[in-house]
Amino acid sequence: MAKLEVDAEPGEVGFDAERLQRVGAHFRRYVDDGKLAGWTIAVARRGRVALLEHHGLADVEAQRPVTDDTLWRIYSMTKPITSVAALMLYERGAFELTDPVSRFIPEFADVRVYAAGSAANPSTVPAVEPVRIWHLLTHTAGLTYGWHHAHAVDEVYRSKGFEFGAPRGMDLEAACATWAGLPLLFQPGSEWNYSVATDVLGRVVEVASGKPFDAFLADEVFAPLGMDDTAFWVGPDDLERLAALYVLNPAGGLLRNAAMGDAATREPTFLSGGGGLVSTAADYHRFTQMLARGGELDGARLLGPHTVAYMTRNHLPGGADLDTFGRPLHAESAFRGVGFGLGVSVVTDAAAGKAVTHDGEFAWGGLASTAFYVDPVAEVTAMFFTQLMPSSAYPIRPQLRSLVNQALVG
């Protein structure tokens, strides 16, 4: 089991100790005011942890506190892990980033693109170019999510049972085949839209590696990094460690979402590379440190440093940001001055984004308000874990970043 503990005094790594205490003080108010059940925060610089704090409850009903080994549904923080897995195969020559997805999932050979009409009767046109691997990595494939509720194609997804996850009993192979038969939102490569693309990428990993997706992650990513607590579900022996999942109560406070939360307690048929993993702060810290160190941690190298540098640069055409190239979505993170790499957001113009950070910072978060970022310029990594849906409920991510950065003095 990975361990996470403070191993540096703040001043040793360039933080003002008193200012760093503002991070926990600020987020403790979220718990004290009933906005969050509980959380874990970890901040490191140059690989050394200067702040590790827990506050509140992992399970309000059971009065169980957040602890070092609390298990969190990381939802879309699964995406960078899946992207790393795919890039590991790219490094081994399994595919080119420009390869058509149909090489691995034949159903993607004849995709069509929404042109007009309702969800019940959409008109479509042929795709002018294939959906390619890099489209999946950058969310420019034209795929979508049913839960966006922003377009007729989103409604088509919901009508097929795809809102959060896949219909009960459907596996990843069948889900990808179904998505390939639905209209794309736009021509591949022409726009950015957050989507099931990373789930499709997980299927590419399966086919290209010849191993089930969960087995590939366990053998090639989690075992080398010592991420022993990261998996697609929580077994009976570890249920007491799993945090409860909450949503905002319109009348105030929190409501437990057992319907979605309990999905993590059953072995899934659908292995979601876009949102299926459960992890601990200690495990995910090891993943962020691997990225911060250019693909290697404690002698285990998953990616070459040039690949990590390539992954964490902006890949949107023409150097565009998400504000100009992306579909407008309700999000807690600003799109202005932020591009997208291969599985992570990338700050391209901090001044445009009106956030005190550095160009080159890369990040992502999850549906239940979890978040991480890596700032290569400041040599800082930060993580926040809680279990509140939706992630746009509060500005946790920008506040975390500004509070950490104001404590940096050296």
Side-chain angles (χ1 to χ4, degrees):
M1 181 186 298
K3 293 289 186 183
L4 185 59
E5 55 191 9
V6 173
D7 60 4
E9 292 294 328
E12 293 181 273
V13 289
F15 284 109
D16 179 291
E18 187 174 342
R19 282 176 163 263
L20 195 61
Q21 290 177 6
R22 294 177 181 175
V23 181
H26 176 80
F27 286 108
R28 281 196 293 274
R29 290 196 291 272
Y30 274 88
V31 174
D32 299 343
D33 293 345
K35 295 178 177 180
L36 296 175
W39 48 253
T40 289
I41 296 172
V43 179
R45 193 174 196 207
R46 303 181 188 121
R48 301 179 67 193
V49 179
L51 174 69
L52 174 62
E53 191 169 338
H54 315 295
H55 188 65
L57 301 172
D59 188 317
V60 174
E61 291 74 16
Q63 288 293 292
R64 178 161 48 86
V66 176
T67 60
D68 287 342
D69 67 351
T70 295
L71 289 161
W72 309 94
R73 299 163 196 80
I74 62 170
Y75 288 118
S76 286
M77 279 167 59
T78 303
K79 288 181 170 73
I81 294 175
T82 300
S83 301
V84 164
L87 290 170
M88 290 169 69
L89 290 170
Y90 164 76
E91 285 191 332
R92 298 173 193 179
F95 51 75
E96 298 298 317
L97 296 180
T98 52
D99 279 353
V101 174
S102 59
R103 178 183 164 195
F104 302 95
I105 307 172
E107 290 85 354
F108 272 88
D110 297 304
V111 293
R112 296 185 65 84
V113 180
Y114 174 89
S118 67
N121 188 29
S123 63
T124 63
V125 296
V128 296
E129 73 158 300
V131 175
R132 303 182 189 276
I133 302 289
W134 78 267
H135 294 142
L136 299 180
L137 282 157
T138 57
H139 291 286
T140 58
L143 299 163
T144 191
Y145 272 124
W147 53 263
H148 283 329
H149 292 264
H151 192 276
V153 176
D154 306 341
E155 188 178 342
V156 174
Y157 275 56
R158 294 195 298 276
S159 73
K160 300 296 183 181
F162 299 102
E163 186 163 12
F164 295 101
R168 187 178 291 272
M170 181 179 285
D171 65 10
L172 181 58
E173 180 180 7
C176 290
T178 303
W179 292 326
L182 304 181
L184 298 179
L185 199 59
F186 46 75
Q187 291 289 345
S190 66
E191 297 185 49
W192 184 93
N193 188 64
Y194 199 42
S195 70
V196 299
T198 318
D199 292 300
V200 179
L201 189 65
R203 177 59 184 162
V204 171
V205 169
E206 281 194 326
V207 178
S209 68
K211 298 173 73 169
F213 184 46
D214 54 351
F216 184 89
L217 291 185
D219 296 344
E220 306 280 350
V221 179
F222 303 149
L225 291 180
M227 296 171 64
D228 300 332
D229 280 322
T230 304
F232 283 100
W233 66 298
V234 178
D237 293 343
D238 291 316
L239 288 180
E240 283 300 307
R241 298 168 53 200
L242 179 64
L245 181 64
Y246 295 95
V247 296
L248 291 179
N249 185 342
L254 304 172
L255 288 175
R256 192 184 187 107
N257 186 341
M260 277 190 70
D262 288 352
T265 68
R266 300 183 294 269
E267 186 172 5
T269 305
F270 173 68
L271 299 173
S272 173
L277 290 174
V278 176
S279 190
T280 61
D283 273 16
Y284 211 88
H285 173 73
R286 292 191 63 78
F287 180 73
T288 66
Q289 296 313 298
M290 177 275 296
L291 291 174
R293 290 167 55 100
E296 178 272 336
L297 183 66
D298 294 340
R301 179 166 291 285
L302 270 61
L303 292 172
H306 295 284
T307 304
V308 174
Y310 188 74
M311 171 188 179
T312 56
R313 62 174 291 181
N314 185 22
H315 283 258
L316 298 183
D321 65 6
L322 292 172
D323 192 53
T324 55
F325 198 73
R327 291 269 166 147
L329 298 172
H330 184 55
E332 69 291 337
S333 298
F335 276 9
R336 187 167 298 169
V338 178
F340 203 82
L342 303 181
V344 288
S345 63
V346 183
V347 174
T348 58
D349 187 343
K354 298 297 177 282
V356 178
T357 187
H358 300 97
D359 292 356
E361 175 217 282
F362 59 93
W364 206 241
L367 178 66
S369 302
T370 59
F372 86 96
Y373 73 83
V374 177
D375 184 337
V377 176
E379 300 177 278
V380 167
T381 64
M383 306 184 303
F384 188 95
F385 293 91
T386 191
Q387 297 283 257
L388 177 71
M389 293 171 49
S391 62
S392 56
Y394 303 113
I396 289 170
R397 297 172 195 173
Q399 289 177 356
L400 175 67
R401 181 169 59 186
S402 62
L403 282 158
V404 171
N405 281 333
Q406 62 83 33
L408 270 174
V409 294

